[in-house]
Amino acid sequence: MQNSEKECISITPHSSEHSSSRTNYSRTNSASLVTTPPLFNQSHFDIVLRRQRSRKEGMPKFTAVPSRFLNLSNDFEFAGWGSISHLTFTPEDIDKGEVELNFFREQQVLGQFTASALAANDILGGVFYTLPSVVAVAGVYSPISLFVAALTLFLWRPVMEEMASALPISGAPYTYLLNVSTKSVALLGAALLLLDFSATAVVSAATAASYLAGEVSLPFPVYVGAALVFVLFTFVSLSGLRESARVATGVLAMHAVVMITLIVASVIAWGRGGMAQLSSNWSLGHVGLSPAAIARQVFNGICLGMLGLTGFECAPAYTSKMKKNCYPKVLRNLHLPALFLTSVMMLLVVALLPLDMVENGSNILSLLAQRVAGRWLRIMVVVDAVVVLCAGVLTGILSACELLIKLSCDRVLPRVFLATVPATGAPYVTVVSFIAFSALIYASTGANLIVVSQMFTMVWLAVMALFPISLILLRFSRPRLPRASQCSLFVVAGAIGVTVTIAAGNVAIDPTIAGWFALYLIILLVLFYVSQNKVTMLRWIYWAYDQLPWLHRPQLTRGWGDGLIRRMRSLRRREVCLLVKTDEINSLFNMILYVRHNEETSCLKIVHFHSGDVPSEMEANAKILDEAFPEITVDLMFIEGQFDPKNLAALAHNLKIPRSLMFMSSPGPNFRYPVAELGTRIISI
């Protein structure tokens, strides 16, 4: 025994030659008697090699780990062994790849003005529902509050420009978070976006009905009018009508003409009437107020004035459809008119209308139009308000549909959300679901437009906070991504600080707003979590069924376990793909860990594009990983060809796996293709 120990201790670290001899020795003399014990590395390799040889493709992988199920089988938790193959694209695959790539490039047609029009109707239409809320808390200081609120967008513009240059993909900020963090964090962004779209639709519909009620005597309450607007645009959405840049540009042009006419008429009336009304309002507005009280009013006005900037977050949702280098100009085109319109319009209101009329009126702009030009301009303003606000309802519906379809393609929501009306192609499940959710929000607040508007501000602030947060995560976890611009970290911190301060101010104005906001956010997060973790939920149900043996005997309940197993296997059978360029096992291991934590699947394909030279350890490491994850079938596929968008589209067609479920590591500064053209998800540094 001592001799043996001495022989073991005296063994020197093996060289490649020794390693070769040991491997050969293990293959040819495994049955012979040895006097020298094998090294740990040799014995461990022999065990792995023997188990790799004994596995049978397609047969389940079993483990010696005890089952959590005491009475039922746990075979469903183990996938089959993977395979190694070489794939050659068919002509159909190649043609399909070219068609998809050309289609994507043809979508990049929006110039700075048409792209601006899509979001400008929301941000400039906010003037109709922002002014009453702000003047109620800021009074005569409302123009100052609105101007300062608009100035804060100078913090967000460089942040959003950097994010879009690094990830020029649509669907932000959900897609930003999906590429720089985990899927659970991205679902938080999706929940906030859905709340934002819903609040947009509710506020727009309620304000449109309110403007009508202020001009004509409606035979029903305002909330019924808002409900009718919802019903009308449900049918409009189901008819297949889609918001286009041309329609949006036409609506924006009409809105611009009406607003310019109102401003010119107001300036003329102000010049004729002088400063008497402004002086009177100013005197009444700050009587008995201390400097601290005035500062408080201004701050409260800033907090609610952020409502007038809603729509600015919509521009990143269609970044991939803009022409190159167009996005910064779009943000500028959205910001500067918003900076001018709300504050100038509020100044004209204070200068021309008595303060008590302003504070007690809801249709402030129609009152201003009546004062400066008469009935004809008032009718124009009301018609403009209804058209622009109804366009906002349609924008909310269509934006929500795009988000819900994206979530369904990412396997968060059931595939039923992809169902369409055969005649029009409209996604009727998404439309009806979104309208029902929006109606629930409006009804649960007691059809109170002020409450919904204030909650809208909170939701918008939360969505805007996701952009600087995404940028911090991008710099930390995806630093190699190329980008055209880079802003200061102080700007990023400033945007987050402003968000927190303004959100705290809104809560201080009305603490119940935080309750409404948290309620709907939690409801959406719970729904998304359950839908994203369907197999986990079913496994818990299966475990509960296992703990009740008396349910296993009756004819009615005997087959429940088999039914749950079939459903879990069906859900986990959907494939995902890893696009890899290295055979380093730590990198492959971390990528598979990401899949296991973020996707419910038992079928994983590792794909490597090559030009003739295959990494030496790729096959061996794939087999080891196939054994290391018994719940996932790890297939390895080699494709001789270039890693480019066309071949990725061909691969998606061949494997029937959408590119949104193909994952890759972060491309470096020298990568030749835009990330948006790849259509894949970035999951590692």
Side-chain angles (χ1 to χ4, degrees), residues 27-224:
R27 294 178 179 176
T28 59
N29 302 297
S30 59
S32 63
L33 182 64
V34 295
T35 58
T36 303
L39 294 179
F40 173 78
N41 289 343
Q42 176 188 344
S43 61
H44 185 66
F45 178 79
D46 287 344
I47 292 172
V48 172
L49 182 62
R50 183 170 65 251
R51 295 180 67 174
Q52 295 288 343
R53 286 175 172 175
S54 64
R55 70 184 193 171
K56 297 180 180 179
E57 182 178 330
M59 297 298 292
K61 297 179 283 190
F62 294 96
T63 176
V65 176
S67 172
R68 64 169 57 90
F69 306 109
L70 303 179
N71 304 295
L72 300 175
S73 170
N74 69 333
D75 293 355
F76 68 92
E77 294 195 303
F78 306 105
W81 291 102
S83 62
I84 299 176
S85 61
H86 294 262
L87 176 65
T88 301
F89 292 136
T90 64
E92 181 184 359
D93 296 332
I94 297 174
D95 292 341
K96 184 67 175 180
E98 291 180 349
V99 169
E100 286 198 16
L101 182 59
N102 291 334
F103 176 77
F104 173 82
R105 291 173 176 172
E106 290 171 357
Q107 297 298 306
Q108 297 176 311
V109 295
L110 296 179
Q112 62 166 312
F113 296 110
T114 51
S116 301
L118 291 172
N121 284 315
D122 285 340
I123 193 170
L124 298 183
V127 68
F128 293 111
Y129 48 77
T130 302
L131 301 190
S133 299
V134 175
V135 77
V137 297
V140 72
Y141 305 103
S142 298
I144 300 174
S145 298
L146 290 169
F147 184 75
V148 174
L151 287 177
T152 61
L153 288 184
F154 280 109
L155 293 172
W156 270 279
R157 280 173 55 185
V159 171
M160 297 169 74
E161 288 174 13
E162 181 175 349
M163 283 301 305
S165 66
L167 292 170
I169 51 181
S170 297
Y174 163 70
T175 49
Y176 289 165
L177 293 171
L178 193 62
N179 281 273
V180 301
S181 62
T182 64
K183 199 170 186 179
S184 298
V185 175
L187 289 181
L188 172 62
L192 290 172
L193 270 180
L194 190 58
L195 271 180
D196 182 65
F197 297 146
S198 180
T200 298
V202 170
V203 171
S204 298
T207 307
S210 176
Y211 258 82
L212 275 179
E215 301 303 317
V216 297
S217 179
L218 297 178
F220 43 76
V222 172
Y223 66 85
V224 175

Side-chain angles (χ1 to χ4, degrees), residues 430-504:
T430 60
V431 171
V432 174
S433 299
F434 175 72
I435 291 295
F437 178 69
S438 300
L440 176 63
I441 289 179
Y442 189 45
S444 62
T445 60
N448 191 324
L449 179 58
I450 300 298
V451 172
V452 179
S453 297
Q454 290 175 341
M455 189 186 70
F456 192 8
T457 305
M458 289 290 294
V459 173
W460 182 82
L461 286 169
V463 171
M464 293 299 289
L466 295 178
F467 290 101
I469 292 174
S470 298
L471 182 55
I472 292 175
L473 293 173
L474 173 74
R475 292 186 178 183
F476 181 79
S477 59
R478 309 288 185 263
R480 299 176 62 247
L481 271 177
R483 66 205 73 177
S485 63
Q486 188 166 351
C487 66
S488 170
L489 193 60
F490 291 104
V491 174
V492 180
I496 296 176
V498 168
T499 302
V500 174
T501 303
I502 300 299

Side-chain angles (χ1 to χ4, degrees), residues 4 41 85 88 103 171 177 204 206 253 284 333 351 356 374 404 504 522 544 554 657:
S4 269
N41 289 343
S85 61
T88 301
F103 176 77
L177 293 171
S204 298
L284 292 174
N333 295 344
D356 57 344
L404 294 175
I522 290 173
I657 301 176

Side-chain angles (χ1 to χ4, degrees), residues 2 61 146 165 185 199 212 268 294 303 325 379 387 392 398 404 430 446 515 517 534 540 570 574 618 622 644 677:
Q2 292 177 351
K61 297 179 283 190
L146 290 169
S165 66
V185 175
L212 275 179
I268 294 174
I294 294 175
C303 293
N325 300 324
I379 294 175
V387 172
L398 297 179
L404 294 175
T430 60
F517 171 72
K534 294 182 283 290
W540 275 100
S570 173
R574 295 176 296 184
M618 182 73 78
D644 57 26
E677 288 190 359

Side-chain angles (χ1 to χ4, degrees), residues 415-585:
R415 293 188 61 82
V416 68
F417 281 84
L418 300 177
T420 58
V421 178
T424 63
Y428 64 91
V429 176
T430 60
V431 171
V432 174
S433 299
F434 175 72
I435 291 295
F437 178 69
S438 300
L440 176 63
I441 289 179
Y442 189 45
S444 62
T445 60
N448 191 324
L449 179 58
I450 300 298
V451 172
V452 179
S453 297
Q454 290 175 341
M455 189 186 70
F456 192 8
T457 305
M458 289 290 294
V459 173
W460 182 82
L461 286 169
V463 171
M464 293 299 289
L466 295 178
F467 290 101
I469 292 174
S470 298
L471 182 55
I472 292 175
L473 293 173
L474 173 74
R475 292 186 178 183
F476 181 79
S477 59
R478 309 288 185 263
R480 299 176 62 247
L481 271 177
R483 66 205 73 177
S485 63
Q486 188 166 351
C487 66
S488 170
L489 193 60
F490 291 104
V491 174
V492 180
I496 296 176
V498 168
T499 302
V500 174
T501 303
I502 300 299
N506 278 279
V507 173
I509 293 172
D510 188 353
T512 61
I513 300 304
W516 290 112
F517 171 72
L519 173 64
Y520 295 118
L521 180 61
I522 290 173
I523 290 174
L524 284 178
L525 288 177
V526 170
L527 291 176
F528 283 166
Y529 177 83
V530 172
S531 185
Q532 163 67 12
N533 298 277
K534 294 182 283 290
V535 175
T536 302
M537 297 294 105
L538 291 174
R539 186 181 285 111
W540 275 100
I541 297 174
Y542 185 79
W543 175 84
Y545 178 74
D546 172 74
Q547 301 299 307
L548 303 172
W550 56 271
L551 287 176
H552 305 169
R553 292 185 293 272
Q555 183 70 26
L556 180 62
T557 59
R558 185 183 306 168
W560 286 4
D562 293 337
L564 289 170
I565 289 175
R566 286 193 297 270
R567 181 57 179 163
M568 284 187 284
R569 283 178 171 168
S570 173
L571 291 173
R572 297 178 68 239
R573 198 174 295 127
R574 295 176 296 184
E575 299 175 326
V576 298
C577 180
L578 287 182
L579 305 168
V580 302
K581 60 180 180 180
T582 177
D583 61 356
E584 294 181 2
I585 195 167

Side-chain angles (χ1 to χ4, degrees), residues 256-381:
V257 168
V258 174
M259 290 295 102
I260 291 173
T261 303
L262 180 58
I263 291 174
V264 171
S266 299
V267 170
I268 294 174
W270 190 4
R272 291 175 178 175
M275 304 292 290
Q277 188 64 64
L278 179 61
S279 299
S280 175
N281 288 340
W282 185 261
S283 300
L284 292 174
H286 70 276
V287 170
L289 294 179
S290 64
I294 294 175
R296 179 71 181 183
Q297 279 194 356
V298 173
F299 176 72
N300 289 342
I302 294 172
C303 293
L304 295 182
M306 305 300 281
L307 183 64
L309 306 177
T310 55
F312 198 75
E313 79 283 7
C314 295
Y318 50 92
T319 309
S320 62
K321 296 183 179 181
M322 299 181 190
K323 295 179 180 179
K324 190 176 180 180
N325 300 324
C326 182
Y327 183 71
K329 299 175 183 178
V330 171
L331 296 182
R332 179 202 62 195
N333 295 344
L334 294 175
H335 182 200
L336 296 184
L339 182 67
F340 172 81
L341 180 62
T342 54
S343 55
V344 169
M345 198 64 73
M346 192 71 248
L347 176 62
L348 294 172
V349 167
V350 173
L352 296 171
L353 296 179
L355 189 59
D356 57 344
M357 180 186 295
V358 174
E359 292 178 343
N360 297 325
S362 56
N363 296 7
I364 294 179
L365 293 187
S366 65
L367 295 176
L368 177 64
Q370 178 73 38
R371 167 70 176 78
V372 301
R375 185 70 178 172
W376 66 272
L377 185 55
R378 182 169 185 169
I379 294 175
M380 284 183 59
V381 169

